[in-house]
Amino acid sequence: MPRSISSSGLDARRHAVEESLFHTANGYLGVRASFEEGPPSGPGGPAASIRGTYINGFYDTHPIRHPELLHGFPETGERIVNLPDAQTIELYADGERLALREGEAEGFARELDMDRGLASREFAWRTASGKRFEIRITRLCSFERPSILAVEYRVACGQAASIRLVARLEGGVGNFHDPADPRVAGEAWKPLELLGARALPAREGPGGRACVAAGLRSRTRGTGFLLALRSELEGPPLSRGSSRAEASGAALELEREARAGEELVFVRRSAYADSIRCPEPEAAAAEALEAAGKLGFAALAAEQEACLGAFWEAAEARIEGDPAADEALQFSLFQLFQAAPRDGRASIPAKGLSGEGYEGHYFWDSEIYMLPFFAYTQPELARSMLLYRHATLDGARSHACEMGQARGAAFPWRTIAGRECSAYYPSGSAQYHIDADIAYAVWAYWEASLDLPFLAGAGAELLFETARTWLEIGHFGQGEFRIESVTGPDEYSCLVDNNFYTNAMAAFNLRAAARARELLAARAPAELARLEARIGLGPEEPGLWLRAAEAMYLPYDASRDITPQDDGFLRKARWDLDATPPGDFPLLLHYHHLAIIRRQVCKQADAVLAHLLLPESAAESTKRASFAYYEGITTHDSSLSYAAFSAMAARLGEPEKAYRYFSKALRLDLDDSHGNSRDGLHLANMGGSWLALALGFGGFRPEGDRITFDPVLPRAWDAISFRIRYRGSSIRLRSARRPGGGVATRLELASGPPVEVSVGGAAAKLEGVLEL
Amino acid sequence: MPRSISSSGLDARRHAVEESLFHTANGYLGVRASFEEGPPSGPGGPAASIRGTYINGFYDTHPIRHPELLHGFPETGERIVNLPDAQTIELYADGERLALREGEAEGFARELDMDRGLASREFAWRTASGKRFEIRITRLCSFERPSILAVEYRVACGQAASIRLVARLEGGVGNFHDPADPRVAGEAWKPLELLGARALPAREGPGGRACVAAGLRSRTRGTGFLLALRSELEGPPLSRGSSRAEASGAALELEREARAGEELVFVRRSAYADSIRCPEPEAAAAEALEAAGKLGFAALAAEQEACLGAFWEAAEARIEGDPAADEALQFSLFQLFQAAPRDGRASIPAKGLSGEGYEGHYFWDSEIYMLPFFAYTQPELARSMLLYRHATLDGARSHACEMGQARGAAFPWRTIAGRECSAYYPSGSAQYHIDADIAYAVWAYWEASLDLPFLAGAGAELLFETARTWLEIGHFGQGEFRIESVTGPDEYSCLVDNNFYTNAMAAFNLRAAARARELLAARAPAELARLEARIGLGPEEPGLWLRAAEAMYLPYDASRDITPQDDGFLRKARWDLDATPPGDFPLLLHYHHLAIIRRQVCKQADAVLAHLLLPESAAESTKRASFAYYEGITTHDSSLSYAAFSAMAARLGEPEKAYRYFSKALRLDLDDSHGNSRDGLHLANMGGSWLALALGFGGFRPEGDRITFDPVLPRAWDAISFRIRYRGSSIRLRSARRPGGGVATRLELASGPPVEVSVGGAAAKLEGVLEL
């Protein structure tokens, strides 16, 4: 079944949301799906539009001003930069300029073809003089050539006309701001200085096609990074072309007389390059553009399709019998792939590369919600995300130092290049669990890949430095290891003592660090010795890690058989959710944080998430009772929450409840149910959908040297299937409802060595196909 | 023994500190002791100077910008306004202008005469041409006439010379800022717009003296308050005078030929008036100036001396045998009097009217550290401070609402007009104890005065609305009344559960409210009924207050017999104070707040303060053990801490330890031991000195219908004495060391009806003199 999403009819009010939904990206470059000719007009005037192009991790700094500046508060922030625009293509027919209006764009339709990695739109345009043109525009951000954005622009002319295209390179851009919305920047920010723009020599394209080109260079004002954009516009033979530098960029122009019935095909190719990755971004952009220019659009699209084919093969996951859910699932996985960096210089921002929400920052969601999908389907992408964390270790060490640690690394709550950019530490830097989350991801990748060079290098350093943090901020007291004044994933409690999630994950972190050291001592002693010398690891430290992990205090309430979220949580009064008006959610936008943290109320899964990630952290009965308890006090005000609740419900054998949570998570962006998809897509929620499917419904779990499955299906579904890559093997699972009840599971070893598996509690060696 | 402080020799480095120490104020107007001729020069250039004049509670607003704005965060701040300057008087002799240089000001000396309420300085000036002048300048801010600043300027001429004075009204002023010091404003702030300045007609003063005058009007840009300044310069007969408006104010000029040996006496009188208090401030200033002008400087000084005489009689408190301590004590009491407002429109700012530190804000220190001195010596001034709180009740109700309360009032942590101005709620709005502190002060004033009209009006409304807050933020749980997520006085713990101080004071607040209602039901039923109707007090509320007070949970640790500061406090790791370098104090300036709150370490007295204020809140053994425990982990980084520790040590029968703490508190400003006295004096610490003397060493305590004393003396002192005003009676205590050991106490009823007393445990009725 083909994978795509589409919309038809032009709805100006949905324009900004569709700019996110239909955006194209390749992990390096992201381009919002703005219209080439500019925003359409609706009944109330021009549609709201957030025109944007971003490079993952390409940022500038800005001062953070605190009304009360305390010691160690961050004073410099980082923000992703909206790049010079290469989307704009103006179309003129006999001098009349195309401008879309809602209600007048005949046959307007758009599509995101996820099998081929193309976004397209089409419509008919009737000019004032009555001429009719059918226009079809197709875009791609090339996965094979990360710096390349290509746009094919087809104009089918019903009547003879003089057709002129003006493609702009707009350097006078700034980031989006909206003084009325507290969730996005309120003030104008134009971090890029245009250093120069120039027209480049025209050339003849293949088959005598005309081709004009231009380039510009910009520099970020704070960080001094260089950005090069080079762009060319190619059109049918006999087009008259020109290019020129302008005040804020450059313009490329092609004009041609079209006969009635003729379709003119133009292609715009642009290449972006940045000085974070390339010493000479201009040369890199020129080279990339030249290479892409040698291929026609069809050849670029063929490359793209091949790349997507490989992706879908590796990442296959389907829901049968529920097309809406399956559509949303494919959309989620595709967006994860679009957002995933490949160069170890970036991670996945909270909104991927689809918008400026959260300022292009990376959070713990990357490791806990998004990375597992990659670790178990395309481990090289998980590795790239972890290498990014490793590359920012020095920033995390500095942050640890600012926070009063003598050693170790404290990964910042939100960052691009490694600085803590959260100005509100109670729900920022106090979330020390991010250290454990990264360690958890390192270990997951290691377990799935057995990539020893990684473990001996970046992996061990990440594990060791994060483990050290727990010894710095926690302490042995009353015969236990305790960690006070932290904030867990649930920001509706703050600065609490012994957050269950944090402590349980810290214990995992400490054990993983000690285990890694033991492994490397046996299998990579030279690398280990070098690393230990470099970071000054004392011989006593691994023993302390294990002692702390063994002594780790995990809150437990015997009377209810649940894990309290933290020491004081259960003694607080419960927030009365039934008495809270529906308009008061999310609570954080309607109540003072202090009024929230005083009560038992959760924004998202916290202890429940710990039970999901670390099934051995509590007894089955405790997990069940805790789930019920937290279900009653969780608002799910965070988009991360539903997926975790869904997965846990499935694990507790409640597939219908799991399905209800899953449904809320799955279509969050497609339905814009949080009302902010215009600022970008919720990538962590998309990763969470995979978690809910694979870990939740599929019951997938790596366990020592074995992987287990324990599928359950809700009534709404006929079957689920997904693919897992594990230690070089590729495993395909399909679980279908048996006509008489129960679930029939088929496991197939698609490639690689045999794998020890357990399905529904039954252990087996998977060599070919297993049917259970 | 006369009360004064003095300094001799000109030390440019101490200039800004002495501007605070020698400032003159009367509770309404405060003028820093800047030099009329401008700052002196030291070896490094002009001395640092903070030239300032303030009206208590005269403020402007400014936007508070948060890098992460959460719901309910304050967006508007209030700041005291530096007023148009009336200090400047330039002196010219034969055209040469006086400019003081360190090392050249012969015989330079200054004095603050606290018996007479005058600040003066004198020095000899030798001009380039070799002429010598002896100059003596005396100032007062009139207690009788709060709008009046008067300066007597005497020039004794050794040689004949042409003497010219230019007195300026400078309207182009702004507040102090210092980009290098995080404790004061970092950016220029000029809240006053000069509306106009004009010369006024010259007049003939008494005895043919010349008199020129001018006035100006300004308006605050944010609040739109009007400020009028009118000023006149009077000089000896035959002076030639003129006055003129200038670009940023006005100038008054008098010139006269002096004979050799002649002393010329000039007087400058200025009147300030503001539209917060007077509908027509210009007329009010003119009227006040005219009335003052009818008196010579000597008559103003006589009024001042009479006023001070009454003050010292009411407030007498002495230390015998330790002149340095006694000097500092007199200084403290005088400064409290200088800062105390009389009009119910203001309280005492953290720095009094001596500087801009803490932006002229009122804190809880006013009620807990400063107000008791007034309540027990000049109750009408305590009443005025409480009326100010009552006048800002609507602001406190709004703040309660912002913080999520359905009813009650949450007094802001720092404010001028009633808005919460703290941008950092973990150590701001989370300090709910300020409600109980105000209630405690209301009750103390009531107990000391039996002022029924006050209790039936402002008092009851304050008690009821603060009591309501506890029912809003606390809850009945586990059979107890619990209050979570608050910050106590010690800001080195934050957002904790069941802070002992807060809970104990809240219980007091609840009981006082219920008791007041009961009293008023019997003695002022009509007023009570009106108040209840106005604030919608339900018949069930007082019962709930008592239930909550009875059920109030007070943390107690049986194994140590101490009161833990809060639920989690004792489980945290102790901060290693011994391993902390001396340069790392105060901790808050050298460590991230999160790193501090994670540990057992205290900035100031918290549980210890509760034990002092509420002796019945813990057993004697618990108070003793708690004192020892907290002594070991308290840094005293807050200037409030020493006084509380001193008083408590005295109560625990450790006068030598009490003396050591007392000594650290007492001379804090005189010795500039915190290094920030330039920004103003630490008024709360001064109030704390009285608390330590009277409550601590004197063992004074009102107890039901009786007052008790239980004096102890450190070896360094021969005797202490102080005066208490209680229910219309004036009681004088003197306790002296007995030659053979022990303390002899003499109690005298100086006026008023007999009083039930208890001295050192022995009860008696005080009618005349009691010797024990």
PDB file of all heavy atoms in Angstrom, chain B residues 390 393-394 397 409 411 442 454-468 520 531 534-535:
ATOM      1  N   HIS B 390      -2.394  47.085  55.174  1.00  0.00           N
ATOM      2  CA  HIS B 390      -3.829  47.038  54.926  1.00  0.00           C
ATOM      3  C   HIS B 390      -4.180  47.783  53.637  1.00  0.00           C
ATOM      4  O   HIS B 390      -5.032  47.334  52.861  1.00  0.00           O
ATOM      5  CB  HIS B 390      -4.587  47.631  56.116  1.00  0.00           C
ATOM      6  CG  HIS B 390      -6.071  47.545  55.964  1.00  0.00           C
ATOM      7  ND1 HIS B 390      -6.853  48.643  55.692  1.00  0.00           N
ATOM      8  CD2 HIS B 390      -6.913  46.484  55.999  1.00  0.00           C
ATOM      9  CE1 HIS B 390      -8.117  48.257  55.579  1.00  0.00           C
ATOM     10  NE2 HIS B 390      -8.186  46.955  55.766  1.00  0.00           N
ATOM     11  N   LEU B 393      -3.862  45.621  50.602  1.00  0.00           N
ATOM     12  CA  LEU B 393      -4.531  44.311  50.617  1.00  0.00           C
ATOM     13  C   LEU B 393      -5.061  43.906  49.241  1.00  0.00           C
ATOM     14  O   LEU B 393      -5.018  42.723  48.875  1.00  0.00           O
ATOM     15  CB  LEU B 393      -5.685  44.342  51.616  1.00  0.00           C
ATOM     16  CG  LEU B 393      -5.562  43.411  52.825  1.00  0.00           C
ATOM     17  CD1 LEU B 393      -6.712  43.635  53.789  1.00  0.00           C
ATOM     18  CD2 LEU B 393      -5.469  41.960  52.427  1.00  0.00           C
ATOM     19  N   ASP B 394      -5.533  44.880  48.487  1.00  0.00           N
ATOM     20  CA  ASP B 394      -6.047  44.501  47.165  1.00  0.00           C
ATOM     21  C   ASP B 394      -4.954  43.923  46.285  1.00  0.00           C
ATOM     22  O   ASP B 394      -5.186  42.973  45.525  1.00  0.00           O
ATOM     23  CB  ASP B 394      -6.711  45.697  46.476  1.00  0.00           C
ATOM     24  CG  ASP B 394      -8.147  45.875  46.958  1.00  0.00           C
ATOM     25  OD1 ASP B 394      -8.690  44.911  47.545  1.00  0.00           O
ATOM     26  OD2 ASP B 394      -8.695  46.969  46.774  1.00  0.00           O
ATOM     27  N   ARG B 397      -4.511  40.464  47.372  1.00  0.00           N
ATOM     28  CA  ARG B 397      -5.598  39.602  46.872  1.00  0.00           C
ATOM     29  C   ARG B 397      -5.361  39.253  45.402  1.00  0.00           C
ATOM     30  O   ARG B 397      -5.542  38.113  44.987  1.00  0.00           O
ATOM     31  CB  ARG B 397      -6.943  40.317  47.028  1.00  0.00           C
ATOM     32  CG  ARG B 397      -7.406  40.429  48.472  1.00  0.00           C
ATOM     33  CD  ARG B 397      -8.848  40.956  48.531  1.00  0.00           C
ATOM     34  NE  ARG B 397      -9.281  41.135  49.903  1.00  0.00           N
ATOM     35  CZ  ARG B 397      -9.371  42.326  50.521  1.00  0.00           C
ATOM     36  NH1 ARG B 397      -9.086  43.444  49.878  1.00  0.00           N
ATOM     37  NH2 ARG B 397      -9.760  42.391  51.776  1.00  0.00           N
ATOM     38  N   ALA B 409      -5.460  36.507  50.745  1.00  0.00           N
ATOM     39  CA  ALA B 409      -4.480  37.472  50.248  1.00  0.00           C
ATOM     40  C   ALA B 409      -3.091  36.867  50.399  1.00  0.00           C
ATOM     41  O   ALA B 409      -2.790  36.278  51.426  1.00  0.00           O
ATOM     42  CB  ALA B 409      -4.574  38.761  51.050  1.00  0.00           C
ATOM     43  N   PHE B 411       0.507  38.187  50.427  1.00  0.00           N
ATOM     44  CA  PHE B 411       1.335  39.389  50.352  1.00  0.00           C
ATOM     45  C   PHE B 411       2.599  39.101  49.558  1.00  0.00           C
ATOM     46  O   PHE B 411       3.210  38.045  49.706  1.00  0.00           O
ATOM     47  CB  PHE B 411       1.661  39.902  51.752  1.00  0.00           C
ATOM     48  CG  PHE B 411       0.546  40.736  52.300  1.00  0.00           C
ATOM     49  CD1 PHE B 411      -0.435  40.163  53.098  1.00  0.00           C
ATOM     50  CD2 PHE B 411       0.437  42.073  51.969  1.00  0.00           C
ATOM     51  CE1 PHE B 411      -1.489  40.922  53.569  1.00  0.00           C
ATOM     52  CE2 PHE B 411      -0.612  42.842  52.429  1.00  0.00           C
ATOM     53  CZ  PHE B 411      -1.586  42.262  53.236  1.00  0.00           C
ATOM     54  N   VAL B 442       0.489  42.083  63.436  1.00  0.00           N
ATOM     55  CA  VAL B 442      -0.829  42.622  63.812  1.00  0.00           C
ATOM     56  C   VAL B 442      -1.151  42.225  65.249  1.00  0.00           C
ATOM     57  O   VAL B 442      -1.564  43.043  66.067  1.00  0.00           O
ATOM     58  CB  VAL B 442      -1.926  42.096  62.851  1.00  0.00           C
ATOM     59  CG1 VAL B 442      -3.318  42.361  63.426  1.00  0.00           C
ATOM     60  CG2 VAL B 442      -1.790  42.733  61.470  1.00  0.00           C
ATOM     61  N   PHE B 454      -8.417  49.649  65.721  1.00  0.00           N
ATOM     62  CA  PHE B 454      -7.514  49.060  64.726  1.00  0.00           C
ATOM     63  C   PHE B 454      -7.870  47.595  64.492  1.00  0.00           C
ATOM     64  O   PHE B 454      -7.990  47.140  63.361  1.00  0.00           O
ATOM     65  CB  PHE B 454      -6.060  49.169  65.195  1.00  0.00           C
ATOM     66  CG  PHE B 454      -5.119  48.376  64.335  1.00  0.00           C
ATOM     67  CD1 PHE B 454      -4.668  48.888  63.129  1.00  0.00           C
ATOM     68  CD2 PHE B 454      -4.717  47.092  64.707  1.00  0.00           C
ATOM     69  CE1 PHE B 454      -3.822  48.143  62.317  1.00  0.00           C
ATOM     70  CE2 PHE B 454      -3.878  46.341  63.893  1.00  0.00           C
ATOM     71  CZ  PHE B 454      -3.431  46.872  62.697  1.00  0.00           C
ATOM     72  N   LEU B 455      -8.042  46.849  65.566  1.00  0.00           N
ATOM     73  CA  LEU B 455      -8.317  45.420  65.399  1.00  0.00           C
ATOM     74  C   LEU B 455      -9.626  45.216  64.640  1.00  0.00           C
ATOM     75  O   LEU B 455      -9.719  44.341  63.772  1.00  0.00           O
ATOM     76  CB  LEU B 455      -8.374  44.718  66.759  1.00  0.00           C
ATOM     77  CG  LEU B 455      -8.491  43.187  66.644  1.00  0.00           C
ATOM     78  CD1 LEU B 455      -7.215  42.598  66.068  1.00  0.00           C
ATOM     79  CD2 LEU B 455      -8.810  42.554  67.995  1.00  0.00           C
ATOM     80  N   ALA B 456     -10.615  46.032  64.950  1.00  0.00           N
ATOM     81  CA  ALA B 456     -11.917  45.849  64.319  1.00  0.00           C
ATOM     82  C   ALA B 456     -11.897  46.256  62.852  1.00  0.00           C
ATOM     83  O   ALA B 456     -12.762  45.864  62.076  1.00  0.00           O
ATOM     84  CB  ALA B 456     -12.975  46.657  65.068  1.00  0.00           C
ATOM     85  N   GLY B 457     -10.915  47.037  62.473  1.00  0.00           N
ATOM     86  CA  GLY B 457     -10.838  47.492  61.084  1.00  0.00           C
ATOM     87  C   GLY B 457      -9.732  46.760  60.340  1.00  0.00           C
ATOM     88  O   GLY B 457      -9.856  45.583  59.986  1.00  0.00           O
ATOM     89  N   ALA B 458      -8.611  47.461  60.165  1.00  0.00           N
ATOM     90  CA  ALA B 458      -7.501  46.908  59.392  1.00  0.00           C
ATOM     91  C   ALA B 458      -6.999  45.589  59.961  1.00  0.00           C
ATOM     92  O   ALA B 458      -6.707  44.636  59.228  1.00  0.00           O
ATOM     93  CB  ALA B 458      -6.360  47.931  59.341  1.00  0.00           C
ATOM     94  N   GLY B 459      -6.911  45.522  61.302  1.00  0.00           N
ATOM     95  CA  GLY B 459      -6.305  44.348  61.923  1.00  0.00           C
ATOM     96  C   GLY B 459      -7.042  43.071  61.569  1.00  0.00           C
ATOM     97  O   GLY B 459      -6.444  42.082  61.125  1.00  0.00           O
ATOM     98  N   ALA B 460      -8.356  43.085  61.769  1.00  0.00           N
ATOM     99  CA  ALA B 460      -9.127  41.868  61.514  1.00  0.00           C
ATOM    100  C   ALA B 460      -9.083  41.502  60.038  1.00  0.00           C
ATOM    101  O   ALA B 460      -8.948  40.327  59.672  1.00  0.00           O
ATOM    102  CB  ALA B 460     -10.570  42.064  61.962  1.00  0.00           C
ATOM    103  N   GLU B 461      -9.163  42.480  59.174  1.00  0.00           N
ATOM    104  CA  GLU B 461      -9.153  42.165  57.738  1.00  0.00           C
ATOM    105  C   GLU B 461      -7.826  41.517  57.353  1.00  0.00           C
ATOM    106  O   GLU B 461      -7.786  40.549  56.590  1.00  0.00           O
ATOM    107  CB  GLU B 461      -9.417  43.432  56.919  1.00  0.00           C
ATOM    108  CG  GLU B 461      -9.767  43.102  55.470  1.00  0.00           C
ATOM    109  CD  GLU B 461     -10.270  44.307  54.685  1.00  0.00           C
ATOM    110  OE1 GLU B 461     -10.406  45.393  55.292  1.00  0.00           O
ATOM    111  OE2 GLU B 461     -10.516  44.152  53.478  1.00  0.00           O
ATOM    112  N   LEU B 462      -6.743  42.048  57.900  1.00  0.00           N
ATOM    113  CA  LEU B 462      -5.431  41.430  57.630  1.00  0.00           C
ATOM    114  C   LEU B 462      -5.390  40.011  58.184  1.00  0.00           C
ATOM    115  O   LEU B 462      -4.927  39.080  57.511  1.00  0.00           O
ATOM    116  CB  LEU B 462      -4.315  42.280  58.253  1.00  0.00           C
ATOM    117  CG  LEU B 462      -3.979  43.592  57.534  1.00  0.00           C
ATOM    118  CD1 LEU B 462      -3.091  44.485  58.411  1.00  0.00           C
ATOM    119  CD2 LEU B 462      -3.283  43.325  56.197  1.00  0.00           C
ATOM    120  N   LEU B 463      -5.864  39.830  59.402  1.00  0.00           N
ATOM    121  CA  LEU B 463      -5.811  38.491  60.005  1.00  0.00           C
ATOM    122  C   LEU B 463      -6.682  37.499  59.234  1.00  0.00           C
ATOM    123  O   LEU B 463      -6.270  36.367  58.980  1.00  0.00           O
ATOM    124  CB  LEU B 463      -6.270  38.555  61.470  1.00  0.00           C
ATOM    125  CG  LEU B 463      -5.317  39.276  62.436  1.00  0.00           C
ATOM    126  CD1 LEU B 463      -5.989  39.475  63.797  1.00  0.00           C
ATOM    127  CD2 LEU B 463      -4.014  38.496  62.595  1.00  0.00           C
ATOM    128  N   PHE B 464      -7.868  37.926  58.858  1.00  0.00           N
ATOM    129  CA  PHE B 464      -8.783  37.002  58.176  1.00  0.00           C
ATOM    130  C   PHE B 464      -8.255  36.631  56.792  1.00  0.00           C
ATOM    131  O   PHE B 464      -8.262  35.465  56.402  1.00  0.00           O
ATOM    132  CB  PHE B 464     -10.175  37.629  58.030  1.00  0.00           C
ATOM    133  CG  PHE B 464     -10.880  37.903  59.343  1.00  0.00           C
ATOM    134  CD1 PHE B 464     -12.062  38.635  59.372  1.00  0.00           C
ATOM    135  CD2 PHE B 464     -10.362  37.444  60.549  1.00  0.00           C
ATOM    136  CE1 PHE B 464     -12.721  38.895  60.566  1.00  0.00           C
ATOM    137  CE2 PHE B 464     -11.008  37.714  61.761  1.00  0.00           C
ATOM    138  CZ  PHE B 464     -12.189  38.437  61.769  1.00  0.00           C
ATOM    139  N   GLU B 465      -7.817  37.636  56.052  1.00  0.00           N
ATOM    140  CA  GLU B 465      -7.410  37.346  54.675  1.00  0.00           C
ATOM    141  C   GLU B 465      -6.115  36.530  54.629  1.00  0.00           C
ATOM    142  O   GLU B 465      -5.914  35.731  53.710  1.00  0.00           O
ATOM    143  CB  GLU B 465      -7.249  38.647  53.877  1.00  0.00           C
ATOM    144  CG  GLU B 465      -8.580  39.352  53.583  1.00  0.00           C
ATOM    145  CD  GLU B 465      -9.452  38.660  52.548  1.00  0.00           C
ATOM    146  OE1 GLU B 465      -9.501  37.430  52.538  1.00  0.00           O
ATOM    147  OE2 GLU B 465     -10.089  39.373  51.751  1.00  0.00           O
ATOM    148  N   THR B 466      -5.225  36.739  55.579  1.00  0.00           N
ATOM    149  CA  THR B 466      -4.010  35.905  55.606  1.00  0.00           C
ATOM    150  C   THR B 466      -4.355  34.496  56.065  1.00  0.00           C
ATOM    151  O   THR B 466      -3.844  33.512  55.519  1.00  0.00           O
ATOM    152  CB  THR B 466      -2.929  36.526  56.505  1.00  0.00           C
ATOM    153  OG1 THR B 466      -3.503  36.837  57.796  1.00  0.00           O
ATOM    154  CG2 THR B 466      -2.374  37.805  55.903  1.00  0.00           C
ATOM    155  N   ALA B 467      -5.251  34.389  57.049  1.00  0.00           N
ATOM    156  CA  ALA B 467      -5.636  33.043  57.519  1.00  0.00           C
ATOM    157  C   ALA B 467      -6.216  32.223  56.369  1.00  0.00           C
ATOM    158  O   ALA B 467      -5.926  31.035  56.219  1.00  0.00           O
ATOM    159  CB  ALA B 467      -6.644  33.154  58.653  1.00  0.00           C
ATOM    160  N   ARG B 468      -7.022  32.867  55.548  1.00  0.00           N
ATOM    161  CA  ARG B 468      -7.627  32.155  54.421  1.00  0.00           C
ATOM    162  C   ARG B 468      -6.584  31.518  53.505  1.00  0.00           C
ATOM    163  O   ARG B 468      -6.816  30.452  52.929  1.00  0.00           O
ATOM    164  CB  ARG B 468      -8.450  33.142  53.582  1.00  0.00           C
ATOM    165  CG  ARG B 468      -9.772  33.469  54.201  1.00  0.00           C
ATOM    166  CD  ARG B 468     -10.452  34.583  53.416  1.00  0.00           C
ATOM    167  NE  ARG B 468     -11.906  34.428  53.457  1.00  0.00           N
ATOM    168  CZ  ARG B 468     -12.767  35.263  52.873  1.00  0.00           C
ATOM    169  NH1 ARG B 468     -12.314  36.299  52.184  1.00  0.00           N
ATOM    170  NH2 ARG B 468     -14.050  35.055  52.948  1.00  0.00           N
ATOM    171  N   LEU B 520     -13.977  40.234  68.556  1.00  0.00           N
ATOM    172  CA  LEU B 520     -14.777  41.282  67.924  1.00  0.00           C
ATOM    173  C   LEU B 520     -16.260  40.941  67.989  1.00  0.00           C
ATOM    174  O   LEU B 520     -17.108  41.833  68.074  1.00  0.00           O
ATOM    175  CB  LEU B 520     -14.323  41.496  66.477  1.00  0.00           C
ATOM    176  CG  LEU B 520     -12.897  42.033  66.349  1.00  0.00           C
ATOM    177  CD1 LEU B 520     -12.483  42.101  64.886  1.00  0.00           C
ATOM    178  CD2 LEU B 520     -12.786  43.430  66.992  1.00  0.00           C
ATOM    179  N   LEU B 531     -17.456  43.887  58.169  1.00  0.00           N
ATOM    180  CA  LEU B 531     -16.250  43.323  57.539  1.00  0.00           C
ATOM    181  C   LEU B 531     -16.553  41.942  56.935  1.00  0.00           C
ATOM    182  O   LEU B 531     -16.187  41.650  55.795  1.00  0.00           O
ATOM    183  CB  LEU B 531     -15.131  43.217  58.586  1.00  0.00           C
ATOM    184  CG  LEU B 531     -13.856  42.510  58.123  1.00  0.00           C
ATOM    185  CD1 LEU B 531     -13.240  43.209  56.919  1.00  0.00           C
ATOM    186  CD2 LEU B 531     -12.842  42.430  59.266  1.00  0.00           C
ATOM    187  N   ARG B 534     -18.390  42.301  53.809  1.00  0.00           N
ATOM    188  CA  ARG B 534     -17.586  42.876  52.729  1.00  0.00           C
ATOM    189  C   ARG B 534     -16.642  41.850  52.110  1.00  0.00           C
ATOM    190  O   ARG B 534     -16.469  41.796  50.899  1.00  0.00           O
ATOM    191  CB  ARG B 534     -16.814  44.090  53.245  1.00  0.00           C
ATOM    192  CG  ARG B 534     -16.049  44.845  52.176  1.00  0.00           C
ATOM    193  CD  ARG B 534     -15.762  46.287  52.582  1.00  0.00           C
ATOM    194  NE  ARG B 534     -15.085  46.395  53.858  1.00  0.00           N
ATOM    195  CZ  ARG B 534     -13.787  46.171  54.029  1.00  0.00           C
ATOM    196  NH1 ARG B 534     -13.044  45.809  53.009  1.00  0.00           N
ATOM    197  NH2 ARG B 534     -13.231  46.277  55.214  1.00  0.00           N
ATOM    198  N   ILE B 535     -16.012  41.035  52.947  1.00  0.00           N
ATOM    199  CA  ILE B 535     -15.044  40.077  52.384  1.00  0.00           C
ATOM    200  C   ILE B 535     -15.689  38.698  52.189  1.00  0.00           C
ATOM    201  O   ILE B 535     -15.002  37.737  51.841  1.00  0.00           O
ATOM    202  CB  ILE B 535     -13.763  39.971  53.235  1.00  0.00           C
ATOM    203  CG1 ILE B 535     -14.050  39.352  54.601  1.00  0.00           C
ATOM    204  CG2 ILE B 535     -13.101  41.343  53.381  1.00  0.00           C
ATOM    205  CD1 ILE B 535     -12.785  39.062  55.408  1.00  0.00           C
TER     206      ILE B 535
END
